[in-house]
Structure formats: C-alpha cells, structure tokens
Amino acid sequence: MIRVGILGATGYTALELIRILIRHSEVEIGALTTRQSGRPAASSVHPSLAGKLDLPLEDLSPEQVIERCDCVFSCLPHAASAEVVKVLVDAGRRVIDFSADYRLNDAEVYQTWYGETHPDPERLGRVPYGLPELFASQISQAPLVANPGCYPTAVVLALAPLLAARLIHREGIILDAKTGVSGAGRTPKMVTIFPECNESIMPYNVGQHRHTPEIDQLLGQLAGAPVQAIFTPHLAPMDRGILTTAYTLPVGDTTETAAADALRDFYAEQPFVTVVDTLPATKHVSGTNHCHLAVRKVRDRLLVFSCIDNLLKGASGAAVQNFNWMFGFPEATALI
Amino acid sequence: MIRVGILGATGYTALELIRILIRHSEVEIGALTTRQSGRPAASSVHPSLAGKLDLPLEDLSPEQVIERCDCVFSCLPHAASAEVVKVLVDAGRRVIDFSADYRLNDAEVYQTWYGETHPDPERLGRVPYGLPELFASQISQAPLVANPGCYPTAVVLALAPLLAARLIHREGIILDAKTGVSGAGRTPKMVTIFPECNESIMPYNVGQHRHTPEIDQLLGQLAGAPVQAIFTPHLAPMDRGILTTAYTLPVGDTTETAAADALRDFYAEQPFVTVVDTLPATKHVSGTNHCHLAVRKVRDRLLVFSCIDNLLKGASGAAVQNFNWMFGFPEATALI
Amino acid sequence: MIRVGILGATGYTALELIRILIRHSEVEIGALTTRQSGRPAASSVHPSLAGKLDLPLEDLSPEQVIERCDCVFSCLPHAASAEVVKVLVDAGRRVIDFSADYRLNDAEVYQTWYGETHPDPERLGRVPYGLPELFASQISQAPLVANPGCYPTAVVLALAPLLAARLIHREGIILDAKTGVSGAGRTPKMVTIFPECNESIMPYNVGQHRHTPEIDQLLGQLAGAPVQAIFTPHLAPMDRGILTTAYTLPVGDTTETAAADALRDFYAEQPFVTVVDTLPATKHVSGTNHCHLAVRKVRDRLLVFSCIDNLLKGASGAAVQNFNWMFGFPEATALI
Amino acid sequence: MIRVGILGATGYTALELIRILIRHSEVEIGALTTRQSGRPAASSVHPSLAGKLDLPLEDLSPEQVIERCDCVFSCLPHAASAEVVKVLVDAGRRVIDFSADYRLNDAEVYQTWYGETHPDPERLGRVPYGLPELFASQISQAPLVANPGCYPTAVVLALAPLLAARLIHREGIILDAKTGVSGAGRTPKMVTIFPECNESIMPYNVGQHRHTPEIDQLLGQLAGAPVQAIFTPHLAPMDRGILTTAYTLPVGDTTETAAADALRDFYAEQPFVTVVDTLPATKHVSGTNHCHLAVRKVRDRLLVFSCIDNLLKGASGAAVQNFNWMFGFPEATALI
C-alpha cells in the first residue's frame, strides 16, 4: 500500500486525482493539503466526494507531508510548487509535479515565460517529462516526474511519431487548439463565469500561452532540431476536453494512410492512444485517460486531430499513469 | 427626444437595456454611470457594444445625472439605489428602479428580507409596481416606478388572472422555478463559474429567496387575502430564461379549458403575454419581451407554466415597457 | 467469470453498461445484439469504445444468446423486451430487464399506460423491483430483475423512508423533476436536436409520463395505502442528471432534522445513497452510481431533493448493482 | 410597402428572417411556403412566433407566390431553389436566394461539389454575391442576389481587404473555423442530437465542405489570382456563432498594426463590420448582424479572427441587408 498525499487539493485536477485514487487498490490517501485553515472536509470542498471520502484538507508543513506520505502529487501553482517539491524529493519522497516547474529544461526560458526566477534550477534537465508513451523507462526510475501540460500532451502525442519518422516537416506547424473551461481552473474570474463563456467560442492568450515553450521543446527534441510552432488556444463552451487541429507540411509524398499507419505502429502497444478512422470528438474521450488521433490530407497539408480529456489524460489520469510506472503497478491500474 | 441615463451600467441588465434603447427612436442615451474610475468605454465593459455605441461609463454625481437626463434607469444594488433615486425624484426626474427598494409596501418586511433599514420609507406604498399588464394606468402617471423582480413577473403573470377570478385557491400554491445563470449577475462567484454550473441543475436559496415577499405581496393583493406560496428557485445550465411551474388547487370544478380561457381573456389586449396550446419552453421567449403561459390539469391540481426571458420581460424589456407608458410612446416601441 | 450479453446495445444505457462491465473483474462480455445487419464494430456504433472493446454487435437469436451468456441485460424497448426475456428466463438464464415490462404488478395498468397487451402477464408481481436499497434480499435470489425507471429511482430513494416511517403524508405529494437530454434516448427527434433544447428548459409529457404508475405503485407499497402523486418532468439543457424536488406534507411536527435523520438512518449501510447538508446538484453525482438527498422545511412543507445520474444510478449503474447482488459479488464492484 | 414571401419557411434561417421582417417598417409578409400540407400556423412550426405572427405556411405554386409577392427570399435546398427562382425572376420578381445555387460562377465547379447539374447555368456569373461590404453597387440594381454562405462571409470579411491590398500572400492560407449547431439545420440527425454534440467539439466534413469552392472563388477574385485555402470546419457546442481563425503569411514586414489599420480603413463606412482591439468572441456578435475582426501577429504569421452570428450576418441578417440595398431602404433598417 502506497501512502500518497496531494498538495493543493481544492481544484479540479485534485478532485479528478482523488476520484481515480479512490479506485486504486494499492493506494491509501494520507494527506490532502490546503492553505485554508479550519480543516474543511474534502466533501465540503468537493461536494461530489460526499459519501466517498472521509478526510479533511489540512494546512500541513512539508515535514508533516514527508512523515505521512511515500509519494506526493503537487497541484500547487508554479514556483510555489518547486519550493516544496525540492524539500520532499531531498527527503526521499517520490513526487509527481502538476505545475510547469520541472517541464522546461532551461531556467531562462522558464523565466521568460513565467516571469519568475526558477526556485530549483539545478534539477532542470534531469527530471523526466511525464508522458509514458515516450519516456516510460526514465519515468519508472525517477524520484520526480514533471506531469505534462494538457495542450502539450494533445499536441505531442499527435506529432511525435511523425516528426521522429521525418514524415512531416518541423517548419510551418500550426496548432489550433480548443479546450473546455475547466482548463481555466476553479478560481472565479469574469471570463469564466457561465454567462460570459457559455454559447461562445473565443481565442485567448494568443501568442502568449505558457504551453508554447513546452510544445516547442518537446517537438524540437523529437525532430532533432528547433521547432517554432504557431500555437493558438481557444475556449469552447464545455466543461472538459481538448481538441487540437494540427496543420503540418508532409515530407515528400507522405500520404494520409502512411501517416496514420506510422501513428498506429508507434502506439501499437500503448493502452491509452488510439488512431481512429472517423473524425474524433472530445466527447469520445471525455471521462477517460485515452487519446484519440486521426489524420486527413487536405490539399498540400497533413492534418492531425488529437482529442483528450484535459483533466485526465491532460492532467490527473496521466499523473496516475506515471505513478503506476514509478511504483511498478500495471500501467492502467485505476485508469480503465 | 428623451435623454436617459443608466446608473450602474456594468451588468447584464444594463447591457440589455442599452441594446434596446439604441433601437428606440425617441431616446438619446445621456449618461452611463459606474463607480469605476477612468471613464471606460462602453464597448470595453460590454464588448458586444463595439461599433454600436460610442460612450464612456462615468463616475457621476446625482447632480450631474440630473443635469443630463430626463429619465433615469437605476441598476444599482438595493439600498444604494434608493439613496440616489430619492434625490433624482425630488429633483423632478422620472425614474425606473431595477432594485427591490420600492417594490415592497412595508419597510419592516423590507428590513426582514434585505437586512437593512429602508433608506426612503415614506415613498413605500405610493410607487407603482411596474407590471403594465396589471398597473398601466398608475405607471403612466408615476414619477417613479418599481421595476419588478424576474421571478415575480413570471409568477404573477401566470396566476394573477386566476386568483382575481377566484378560479384557484390562494392556499397551497407551490412555485417551482428554474432560471438561467445570468440571473445571478456578472460578479464572479465560484457557484457561477462555468465548470460548476454547466451540466448541472440545482436548487438554491431554498426558503430564503428575496423574491418571496414580493410574490406573496402581489398574489395577496390579487387574491384579496394573504398568500404564502412555497417558492423554490433552481439554477439551470443556460444563459437566460425563467420557467415557473405553478401547482395550484382549482376552485370547484375549474377545468383546464376554463383556466386557459380566463388567461386568454385577461391578456387579450396585451402585446407581450400569450397563452399557448403546446407546452412552453424558455427558448420560445428568449431574446424577447414576451411571456408564454400554458395550463394543464393533472389529477386534482391545476398547473400553470410561465416562461419569460429573465433579462428582458424579467428586467430590461419590462423597464422600457414602463418607460413607454410613462412617456406616452406606444407600449411596444423598441420591444418588437 | 460470468459471461454476459447485452440486448439492444446501440443506445446510451448500453454504452454506459459496457463501460462499467469492462471494469468488472468477474465479467466477460459474450454478446452484444442489434437488429442492424453487418456486424458493426462496437467502436463504430459507440466511438468512445475505440481501443477499449473489440467486439461486434450482432443480430442474434435468443438461442444464440442463451448459448453464449450466463446473464443477459436487456436494453430492448418495452413489449419487445418481455418477448425475448421470457425465453431467456425459461431457458435458465438470469436477466436484468431495463424496460418497463416487469416493473408494474398489474397487467391492466401496463396496458393503460403502454398501450399494449402485456406479453408475459403471468410473471408480473413475482419479479423483484431492482432497487437494492429496498429489495436486496429478493434481488439476490431472483432469476429476473426489473431494473427501475430513472425518475422512480430518484423519487423513491427520497421518499421511501419518510413514507415508511409515516413522517410525511401520502396525500398531496408533488414531484417536480428535471432531467438531462440523454434520458430521451439516442434516436434523432426534432425535440432533442441541440438547437431546440440547448439554452432552454421545458416541461414535457405533463400528466402522461409512463413513470407515473411506477412511482405510484412503489410509493403506495411503502405507504401501505394508495398514492397518487403529481409528477411533472422537465427537460434541462444538459447531457445527464436527474433532480427531483419533492414537495410533501409533514405528519404532525416533523422537523427538517427529524426527516434528514430518518433518511440518514435508513441509508446508514448503503454505499450509494448519501444525505448531504448543503443543497445537492446533479453535477455532484454525475458519472457515479450515487444518489444525494437533502431535506428543507419551507413554511408548511417538507421538501426533499434527490439527485442521480439518470444513465447510471438511474439505469446502468443500478443494473450492475443488481447483477452484483444476483451473483454474490460485493455490491460496489466496478461501481466506484 | 414591399410584399415579401419566404420559400421553405420551416427552418432556422427562415425563422430568423421572419423575426427581422416583423420589425421592418416597410415590409408586409405575404407568403410563407412549405411542402407540408395542412396549412400549419407559423406559430405551430416556430413556437417563438406565438403572439407575433398570425399566418399559415402554405404549399404554394410559383405562380401563387408571384401573385402575392414583390420580393421573394428562397430558403429552399440547393438545386430545388434554382428551379423555382428562375421562374420568379423571369416573371419580374426580385429574389434573394439563400441556397448555393447562384454563388459559384462556374457550373462545373457546382457540379463537382454539389453533385448535380446546375438547373439554371445561363445566369451564373451575372448574379451578384450578396456581401454589400464588397458588392453593394451591383446588389442594389440586381433582380437576383446570391445570399452568401455563413463560412465564406466570416472568412471573406476577414481577408478581403488584406488580399486586395496585397498585405498577405494568397498562398498558405489556413482557415480553422468553428460553428454552432444551428448551422447544421433543423432536420433531426444523430450527429446533432443534444447528447451527441453537447460537451464536445469535433471537426467535420474535413476537406469536403461545400463552402470551400465559394471561399476559393471569392478570395481568388480579391487576390487577382487563384487561391486554394485549407478550410477546416468544426462543430462547437453552442446554438449559434462562427469564429474563423485565419492563419496567413504577411507580405514583407506587414505588422499587426498595419493589417488592423487596413481593415479599419476598408470598413470605415460600414455599419456592420468592426475591428476590435481585444480578442473577439462569438457571443459579442450573437443575435446581431455584426462582424467583429481582430488581428494578431504570432511569430511569422498574421492571424485574423472573425466572428459572426451564422444565422444573422451569416444568413438572414445579410439577406435583409441585401433587401435594403435592393429596395433603396437605409442599409441598417430592421437590423439594429
């Protein structure tokens, strides 16, 4: 039985994580933290946990967390997360970090996009990126794993095999992404209240979204040369789901079939990535840890569509998938 | 040309009001107020006004408003509204007040439900309730009109003719109401962010909603004796619309047809209330100033369904309807 | 390993059932049937099964189903269901019937509400109603179980303990129910296309809904005397969820607390029914087999709120809960 | 007073057209047609017209329409529309055709994309494309106007001024478009029922959408050379609205500001096109005849965002705008 803790357990990714962990036969939840005082019951913070989990959220020190947990999931904000994570890792705890703090290899890039000096720059470049479809062997050994961003997950699963096999060019990649509103978090803001975003679709953070350098880094790594994709996120009136429509330039005469076959081969042994024949929809993967991919050739472009649930394969599902690799459990435990 | 002003022009009812007034051939908008500084453009506060209205929102004193306007719509919060409204009315300006301040006749009831001493108790009881279907003659003469609450509008239009004609009992009235989220206003709160209220329906303020005394007062007035209805509001995952399902006890052998005919007769000359044969839906009146009513007998009860757009017939449409009566314009001007 | 079959596997309840059964460690899916020819892959009928289930839907005879399955879930329409179910049960297969065919005890009532002569009237009255919270001992022994209707589930879980304990009167019960659109099934109809029901709430089948006699029968059974509730369903713009707002007359001075305590005691050992302190929302139980209940006293009425997921606790979750009882597995297997 | 008729008045565009025409002071609706028999009341086909329009839908011959109407709006399907339109125009009636029949200049292109021999090929190339922002002078004189497709409207308004001024290249244009579900029409299909498309976003008709040749033709006309854009439509879970995200290659060092200024200058006198500073959202134009445009430079690309209401500026609003030009009324009559 692995005793796990969740730091910053008030948001949507924490709730999804708890829901999965309750189903996990090898896990005991030992700590849920919050900066709120008063030890609120989990079910008062997350009403859907009523009758399912009888634990409080507590304002715990890192030392208390270390004492209670073998493994810690951090849902803290960037910068705040690394401050605690480094203490936990130094004390020998294994950690899965939901923040962006350990995803980028370069502290300067981090500072440019996140506006803060990195709190733990020495570890950068040695923390595996938590996409088991690409990095399972590193993840299984790692004390600390950087859980991927939701958009990079959708994008990288779609394009990694094609870039690696040189079936598409690394130049001219355009990523038009659409997400549900849960991606914006649980803190009330005018832009996310229902009457503002219901019955509407809109672009946001154009040219400025913090997942941009993460996408560039991963795609560049796979292409073996720098990538500068045009990444444009949009907010769609739905709770969850990410659809990425990737417009790429095929190398030579790469056909739709060749590209789809390459994806199918690459993911043949992967339980959570499926290449579908019909056009995918976010609903088909909603509530699951799956990614659906499809390819279409339109005129001179190869389009790759990628759908995930932003809170599951894009966050908490992936985190448990990483956890399973780290602790030697079957990869799909609690994720079916 | 009537010069009008809108106090507290940042919310949803103010936006709808502006949209209607732009279409009104006899109106010139002279002032839009806000407590925000910096004179923000109307289109920066309400992006849908871009290209339609070139006016700032200003932090104006009552005196400035008096100077610029013949008629003022107050969208200020309760208590704050009456403080300004009394100054405007005393200065000879005509006012339509969206707040609850002048809707109740009794300052004590006001204090019980709103938790504040009424700022202008002397006027209570002399301000007409702005439902022209019932009180047009008073409205047309009044310096000040209390614009009705959204729920009371839906409820009173449904039941007034039946209570007045003694076709239903005043006892045992149950009002199960459903509203869209715009009714909760534009200030961000956790309960109204999209991922909390989308894909969900829930009761709220059960037994405590402030429209309760307003409903009781109006229904009691029509019944000629006290009414204590059970009023239960629910939040539905849609922008706008109110559906009220009223469960009533028919007097004697009142049939479905008799009740429907009574409603039809009562509203025969009214442009904005229609009794429909099929079951109504909020969508059928969304974006309009109309109210659709329908009657069904189920076992021993007479059910009356009532649909309005909460921001229009439930707020800003009604306000312009009142305005048209007050200034002698055809009732439907700018409301078709 | 129990080999199960699903008859009529193209709809929403069948999809949810498959999703649960895939997680069930003691189940092997042996047959999925459809009247469509061509043996379509499950993932072509239900795209969300891509990569999860590699089985065709087949046009099988009852004999073929009998050969392949130990237990059969019938998602066939009423009347059509009993025609097949009786063959399966006579052949010694255990069956969970999603249709209404075995829910009512009286063939005449069935004929009145469903407009058809009952195909298997001899069995009526001997088939347990599949609500394990009330009838677990009968269910565990039964060859055939009538899976409950979604609305009756929400209503009966809310009122059964109060009627049984004589805390509320059996007269004057008003049930205002709201459901998501998945309850209307997967066959395209104008009333359920998105632009008709999105951004709208509406009553439907008022006084005519076929769950009415089922509700009356169950409540009457618990009250020990006939019940004739006023049941009014509404369609809300969401995929799933049922909220029932029950207006009841308390016996004597039954308080809110006494009623809530009675519910809590009654369900103390039940894993899937929770009495909550705050007002419930359908979202809090969406995607789960749980029912959340809450009680409020408003003036002279006792209001009981009940939330379930119509496709899970209201259909497929309950079916697996029944299955677990019938085959001796822990009640919550595959349902957490 | 112009007597107008609407052919095929059962769908969503017809409903929006009726709503606008009811507000038009110079119009009298003389005929609404349908192939349904029984002369159904407009309010039984469109419940939102109850209390607003007292007219039946009739199965009329072209001759009857000619007799009753000065101007006809055809909402008939392609091919069927031209068969009637040519008769009406030959009889001297002015016609605004919502179908695609007169939008393309080339009968062969029509046959390729619509799979039918064009019923009236002689007129092709002489019918103005009903985008008054570009072709007002031709429209005002024309007996017949081809009302534009919704997607082409959004795309062409965004790119026309930039192509005409050679600020962007005609090569490499990628159009990622998102629409609400009303664009799919009112005929029930499985893909548009609520539980299939709610809470989901998906691409559709990739590489095959019939608006593709219309977009190519218009953009090519403006660029003065062939254009072959990559056009990818997506279905978003909302009633209405189109957002097009256009990815273009700037010519030379065209800046964001230069492009925005070019758009602003081009539309300076246009009442219905506004260049906004903040990022646009479909909600900001929903229910209006407006188009909001915005420009952003991201790395080496110039992005142009365009929002319209697909049923208004994308269909019925544009039709009345064309009507106003054709009959010499102020362009914005009934459209504010």
Side-chain angles (χ1 to χ4, degrees):
Chain A
M1 214 62 161
I2 311 295
R3 296 171 309 153
V4 308
I6 301 175
L7 309 183
T10 57
Y12 293 131
T13 53
L15 171 58
E16 291 302 315
L17 184 56
I18 292 169
R19 282 177 167 165
I20 300 169
L21 293 175
I22 286 173
R23 287 203 301 263
H24 201 298
S25 51
E26 308 290 338
V27 163
E28 185 184 356
I29 300 178
L32 302 173
T33 81
T34 178
R35 283 164 306 177
Q36 293 174 33
S37 60
R39 302 179 82 250
S43 64
S44 77
V45 174
H46 300 294
S48 64
L49 295 177
K52 293 181 160 182
L53 181 72
D54 188 18
L55 263 187
L57 272 65
E58 302 171 87
D59 189 359
L60 300 177
S61 68
E63 290 67 35
Q64 290 172 300
V65 173
I66 288 166
E67 194 177 346
R68 292 203 208 164
C69 304
D70 305 310
C71 177
V72 178
F73 296 87
S74 171
C75 300
L76 297 174
H78 68 89
S81 191
E83 294 286 6
V84 181
V85 166
K86 62 184 180 186
V87 178
L88 301 175
V89 175
D90 287 344
R93 295 297 167 270
R94 298 182 82 176
V95 176
I96 295 158
D97 182 19
F98 280 60
S99 87
D101 285 349
Y102 295 99
R103 293 182 198 155
L104 298 172
N105 294 333
D106 185 329
E108 275 187 48
V109 175
Y110 180 90
Q111 179 143 12
T112 302
W113 286 86
Y114 289 88
E116 314 219 25
T117 307
H118 196 285
D120 188 19
E122 293 74 23
R123 271 199 184 80
L124 293 193
R126 293 183 292 123
V127 179
Y129 191 80
L131 211 50
E133 288 78 8
L134 296 176
F135 309 112
S137 62
Q138 298 163 51
I139 292 164
S140 62
Q141 308 300 327
L144 167 61
V145 170
N147 211 50
C150 52
Y151 286 123
T153 295
V155 167
V156 173
L157 289 175
L159 300 189
L162 303 178
L163 280 171
R166 305 294 184 261
L167 292 171
I168 58 171
H169 287 284
R170 65 182 174 85
E171 295 91 357
I173 294 174
I174 288 174
L175 304 166
D176 193 282
K178 300 91 178 166
T179 190
V181 186
S182 62
R186 204 180 179 195
T187 305
K189 288 171 279 195
M190 192 184 284
V191 77
T192 57
I193 64 170
F194 190 91
E196 296 289 318
C197 54
N198 183 46
E199 276 293 294
S200 198
I201 189 162
M202 69 195 92
Y204 72 99
N205 284 3
V206 175
Q208 304 169 337
H209 197 286
R210 287 168 166 171
H211 286 175
T212 305
E214 195 177 327
I215 289 170
D216 286 353
Q217 173 181 298
L218 266 289
L219 295 186
Q221 198 171 323
L222 290 152
V227 168
Q228 284 217 321
I230 308 289
F231 167 62
T232 311
H234 298 77
L235 199 61
M238 54 191 198
D239 272 9
R240 21 168 105 191
I242 284 180
L243 164 66
T244 298
T245 305
Y247 299 86
T248 72
L249 284 161
V251 169
D253 54 358
T254 303
T255 62
E256 188 175 304
T257 309
D261 286 348
L263 291 172
R264 245 183 275 269
D265 290 350
F266 193 92
Y267 295 118
E269 305 301 316
Q270 296 296 340
F272 295 123
V273 184
T274 303
V275 182
V276 296
D277 294 323
T278 51
L279 290 166
T282 57
K283 182 161 228 160
H284 301 160
V285 297
S286 192
T288 81
N289 195 48
H290 281 250
C291 174
H292 281 190
L293 301 175
V295 182
R296 289 292 183 279
K297 185 91 175 275
V298 179
R299 292 178 164 168
D300 64 338
R301 301 279 168 148
L302 201 65
L303 277 59
V304 190
F305 299 97
S306 175
C307 285
I308 61 168
D309 182 317
N310 60 307
L311 294 179
L312 292 175
K313 185 57 184 161
S316 305
V320 175
Q321 196 181 345
N322 284 316
F323 170 84
N324 287 336
W325 275 104
M326 290 165 78
F327 286 87
F329 303 123
E331 183 172 12
T333 308
L335 293 172
I336 299 294
Chain B
M1 214 63 161
I2 311 295
R3 296 172 309 153
V4 306
I6 302 176
L7 308 183
T10 56
Y12 293 131
T13 53
L15 171 59
E16 292 302 314
L17 185 56
I18 292 169
R19 281 177 166 166
I20 300 169
L21 293 175
I22 286 173
R23 287 203 299 264
H24 201 298
S25 52
E26 308 290 339
V27 162
E28 185 184 357
I29 301 178
L32 301 173
T33 82
T34 178
R35 283 165 306 176
Q36 292 173 32
S37 59
R39 302 180 80 252
S43 64
S44 77
V45 175
H46 300 295
S48 64
L49 295 178
K52 294 181 158 181
L53 182 72
D54 188 19
L55 263 186
L57 272 65
E58 302 170 88
D59 189 1
L60 301 177
S61 69
E63 290 66 34
Q64 290 171 300
V65 173
I66 288 164
E67 193 178 345
R68 291 204 208 164
C69 304
D70 306 310
C71 176
V72 178
F73 297 86
S74 171
C75 300
L76 296 174
H78 67 89
S81 192
E83 294 287 4
V84 181
V85 165
K86 62 184 181 186
V87 178
L88 301 174
V89 174
D90 287 345
R93 295 297 168 270
R94 298 182 82 175
V95 176
I96 295 157
D97 181 19
F98 280 60
S99 88
D101 284 350
Y102 295 99
R103 294 181 198 156
L104 298 171
N105 294 333
D106 185 329
E108 274 187 50
V109 175
Y110 180 89
Q111 177 143 15
T112 302
W113 286 86
Y114 289 87
E116 315 220 23
T117 308
H118 197 285
D120 187 19
E122 294 73 23
R123 270 197 185 82
L124 293 194
R126 294 182 293 122
V127 178
Y129 190 80
L131 210 52
E133 288 78 6
L134 297 176
F135 308 113
S137 62
Q138 299 163 50
I139 291 164
S140 60
Q141 309 299 326
L144 167 62
V145 169
N147 211 50
C150 51
Y151 286 124
T153 296
V155 166
V156 173
L157 289 175
L159 300 189
L162 304 178
L163 281 171
R166 304 295 184 264
L167 292 171
I168 58 170
H169 287 283
R170 66 182 173 86
E171 296 91 356
I173 294 175
I174 288 173
L175 304 166
D176 193 281
K178 300 90 179 168
T179 190
V181 186
S182 63
R186 204 179 179 197
T187 306
K189 288 170 279 194
M190 191 184 286
V191 76
T192 58
I193 63 170
F194 190 91
E196 295 289 316
C197 55
N198 182 48
E199 277 291 297
S200 197
I201 190 163
M202 69 195 93
Y204 72 98
N205 285 4
V206 175
Q208 303 169 337
H209 197 286
R210 286 166 165 174
H211 287 174
T212 305
E214 195 176 327
I215 290 169
D216 285 353
Q217 173 181 299
L218 267 288
L219 295 185
Q221 197 171 325
L222 290 152
V227 168
Q228 286 217 320
I230 308 289
F231 167 61
T232 312
H234 298 77
L235 199 62
M238 54 191 198
D239 272 10
R240 18 167 106 193
I242 284 180
L243 164 66
T244 298
T245 305
Y247 299 86
T248 74
L249 284 161
V251 169
D253 54 359
T254 304
T255 61
E256 187 175 302
T257 309
D261 286 348
L263 290 172
R264 245 182 274 268
D265 290 351
F266 193 92
Y267 295 118
E269 306 301 317
Q270 296 297 340
F272 295 123
V273 184
T274 304
V275 182
V276 295
D277 295 323
T278 51
L279 290 166
T282 58
K283 181 160 229 160
H284 301 159
V285 297
S286 193
T288 81
N289 195 49
H290 282 250
C291 174
H292 281 190
L293 301 175
V295 183
R296 290 292 182 280
K297 186 88 175 275
V298 179
R299 292 177 163 170
D300 65 339
R301 301 282 167 145
L302 201 65
L303 277 58
V304 190
F305 300 97
S306 175
C307 286
I308 60 168
D309 182 317
N310 59 307
L311 294 178
L312 293 175
K313 185 57 182 161
S316 305
V320 175
Q321 196 182 347
N322 284 316
F323 169 85
N324 287 336
W325 275 104
M326 289 166 79
F327 287 87
F329 303 123
E331 183 173 11
T333 308
L335 293 172
I336 299 295
Chain C
M1 213 66 161
I2 311 295
R3 295 170 312 152
V4 307
I6 302 175
L7 308 182
T10 56
Y12 294 131
T13 52
L15 171 59
E16 291 304 314
L17 185 55
I18 292 169
R19 281 177 166 165
I20 299 169
L21 293 176
I22 285 172
R23 288 203 299 263
H24 201 298
S25 51
E26 308 290 339
V27 163
E28 184 184 357
I29 300 179
L32 302 173
T33 82
T34 178
R35 283 166 307 177
Q36 292 174 33
S37 59
R39 303 180 80 250
S43 64
S44 77
V45 175
H46 299 294
S48 64
L49 295 178
K52 292 181 160 181
L53 182 71
D54 188 18
L55 261 189
L57 272 65
E58 301 170 88
D59 189 359
L60 300 177
S61 68
E63 290 66 36
Q64 290 172 301
V65 173
I66 288 165
E67 195 177 342
R68 292 203 207 163
C69 304
D70 305 312
C71 177
V72 178
F73 296 87
S74 172
C75 299
L76 297 174
H78 67 89
S81 192
E83 294 286 5
V84 180
V85 166
K86 63 184 178 186
V87 177
L88 301 176
V89 175
D90 287 345
R93 296 299 168 269
R94 299 182 83 175
V95 177
I96 295 158
D97 182 18
F98 280 60
S99 87
D101 284 350
Y102 296 98
R103 294 181 199 155
L104 298 172
N105 294 332
D106 185 328
E108 274 187 48
V109 174
Y110 180 89
Q111 179 143 14
T112 302
W113 286 86
Y114 289 88
E116 314 219 26
T117 307
H118 197 285
D120 188 19
E122 294 73 24
R123 269 197 186 83
L124 293 193
R126 294 182 291 124
V127 179
Y129 191 80
L131 211 50
E133 287 79 7
L134 296 176
F135 308 112
S137 62
Q138 299 162 50
I139 292 164
S140 61
Q141 308 300 325
L144 168 61
V145 169
N147 211 50
C150 52
Y151 285 123
T153 296
V155 167
V156 173
L157 289 176
L159 301 189
L162 304 178
L163 280 170
R166 305 295 184 262
L167 292 171
I168 58 172
H169 287 283
R170 67 183 172 85
E171 295 91 358
I173 295 175
I174 287 173
L175 304 166
D176 192 282
K178 299 90 178 169
T179 189
V181 186
S182 62
R186 204 180 179 195
T187 305
K189 287 170 278 194
M190 191 183 287
V191 76
T192 57
I193 64 171
F194 189 91
E196 296 288 317
C197 55
N198 182 46
E199 276 292 296
S200 197
I201 190 164
M202 68 194 94
Y204 72 100
N205 285 2
V206 174
Q208 304 169 338
H209 197 285
R210 285 168 165 171
H211 286 175
T212 306
E214 195 177 326
I215 289 169
D216 285 354
Q217 173 182 299
L218 266 288
L219 295 185
Q221 198 172 323
L222 290 152
V227 167
Q228 286 218 317
I230 307 288
F231 167 61
T232 311
H234 298 76
L235 198 61
M238 55 191 198
D239 272 11
R240 21 168 104 193
I242 285 180
L243 164 67
T244 298
T245 306
Y247 299 85
T248 73
L249 284 161
V251 170
D253 54 358
T254 304
T255 62
E256 187 175 300
T257 308
D261 286 348
L263 291 173
R264 245 182 273 269
D265 290 351
F266 193 91
Y267 295 118
E269 305 300 318
Q270 297 296 339
F272 295 123
V273 184
T274 303
V275 182
V276 296
D277 293 324
T278 51
L279 290 166
T282 58
K283 182 162 229 162
H284 301 161
V285 297
S286 194
T288 81
N289 195 49
H290 281 248
C291 174
H292 281 190
L293 301 175
V295 182
R296 289 294 182 279
K297 186 89 174 274
V298 179
R299 292 178 164 169
D300 64 339
R301 301 280 167 147
L302 200 64
L303 277 57
V304 190
F305 299 96
S306 175
C307 286
I308 60 168
D309 182 316
N310 60 307
L311 294 179
L312 293 175
K313 184 59 182 161
S316 305
V320 175
Q321 197 182 347
N322 283 316
F323 169 85
N324 287 337
W325 275 104
M326 290 165 78
F327 287 87
F329 303 123
E331 184 172 12
T333 308
L335 293 172
I336 298 297
Chain D
M1 213 63 161
I2 311 295
R3 296 171 310 153
V4 308
I6 301 175
L7 309 184
T10 56
Y12 293 131
T13 52
L15 171 58
E16 291 303 313
L17 184 56
I18 293 169
R19 282 178 166 163
I20 299 169
L21 293 175
I22 286 173
R23 287 204 299 264
H24 200 298
S25 52
E26 307 291 338
V27 162
E28 183 184 357
I29 300 178
L32 301 173
T33 82
T34 178
R35 283 166 306 177
Q36 293 174 33
S37 59
R39 303 180 81 248
S43 64
S44 77
V45 174
H46 300 294
S48 63
L49 295 177
K52 293 182 159 181
L53 181 73
D54 188 17
L55 262 188
L57 272 64
E58 301 171 88
D59 189 359
L60 300 177
S61 68
E63 290 66 36
Q64 290 172 302
V65 173
I66 288 165
E67 195 177 346
R68 292 203 206 162
C69 304
D70 305 311
C71 177
V72 178
F73 297 87
S74 171
C75 300
L76 297 174
H78 68 89
S81 192
E83 293 286 6
V84 181
V85 166
K86 62 185 179 185
V87 177
L88 301 175
V89 175
D90 287 345
R93 295 299 167 270
R94 298 182 83 175
V95 177
I96 294 158
D97 182 18
F98 280 60
S99 87
D101 284 350
Y102 295 99
R103 294 182 198 154
L104 298 173
N105 294 334
D106 186 329
E108 274 187 49
V109 174
Y110 180 89
Q111 180 145 9
T112 301
W113 286 85
Y114 289 88
E116 315 219 22
T117 308
H118 197 285
D120 188 18
E122 293 73 25
R123 269 196 186 82
L124 293 193
R126 294 183 291 125
V127 179
Y129 191 81
L131 210 51
E133 287 78 8
L134 297 176
F135 308 111
S137 62
Q138 300 162 50
I139 292 164
S140 62
Q141 308 300 325
L144 168 60
V145 170
N147 211 49
C150 51
Y151 286 123
T153 296
V155 167
V156 173
L157 290 174
L159 301 189
L162 303 178
L163 280 171
R166 306 294 184 261
L167 292 172
I168 58 171
H169 288 283
R170 66 184 172 86
E171 296 91 356
I173 294 174
I174 287 173
L175 304 167
D176 193 282
K178 300 90 179 166
T179 189
V181 187
S182 62
R186 204 180 180 196
T187 305
K189 287 170 280 193
M190 191 184 286
V191 75
T192 57
I193 64 171
F194 189 91
E196 296 288 318
C197 55
N198 182 47
E199 277 291 293
S200 197
I201 189 163
M202 69 195 94
Y204 73 99
N205 285 5
V206 174
Q208 304 170 336
H209 197 286
R210 286 166 165 173
H211 286 174
T212 305
E214 195 176 327
I215 289 170
D216 286 352
Q217 173 180 300
L218 267 289
L219 295 186
Q221 198 171 324
L222 291 151
V227 167
Q228 285 217 320
I230 307 289
F231 167 60
T232 310
H234 298 76
L235 198 62
M238 55 191 198
D239 272 11
R240 20 169 105 194
I242 283 180
L243 164 66
T244 298
T245 306
Y247 299 86
T248 73
L249 284 161
V251 169
D253 54 357
T254 305
T255 62
E256 187 175 303
T257 309
D261 286 349
L263 290 173
R264 245 182 274 268
D265 290 351
F266 192 92
Y267 295 118
E269 306 301 317
Q270 296 296 340
F272 296 123
V273 184
T274 304
V275 182
V276 296
D277 294 324
T278 51
L279 290 166
T282 58
K283 181 161 229 160
H284 302 160
V285 297
S286 192
T288 81
N289 195 48
H290 282 250
C291 174
H292 281 190
L293 300 175
V295 183
R296 290 292 183 280
K297 186 89 173 275
V298 179
R299 293 178 164 171
D300 65 339
R301 302 279 168 147
L302 200 65
L303 277 58
V304 190
F305 300 96
S306 174
C307 287
I308 60 169
D309 183 316
N310 59 308
L311 294 179
L312 293 175
K313 185 57 182 160
S316 304
V320 175
Q321 196 181 346
N322 283 316
F323 169 86
N324 287 336
W325 275 104
M326 290 165 79
F327 287 86
F329 303 123
E331 183 173 10
T333 309
L335 293 172
I336 299 296

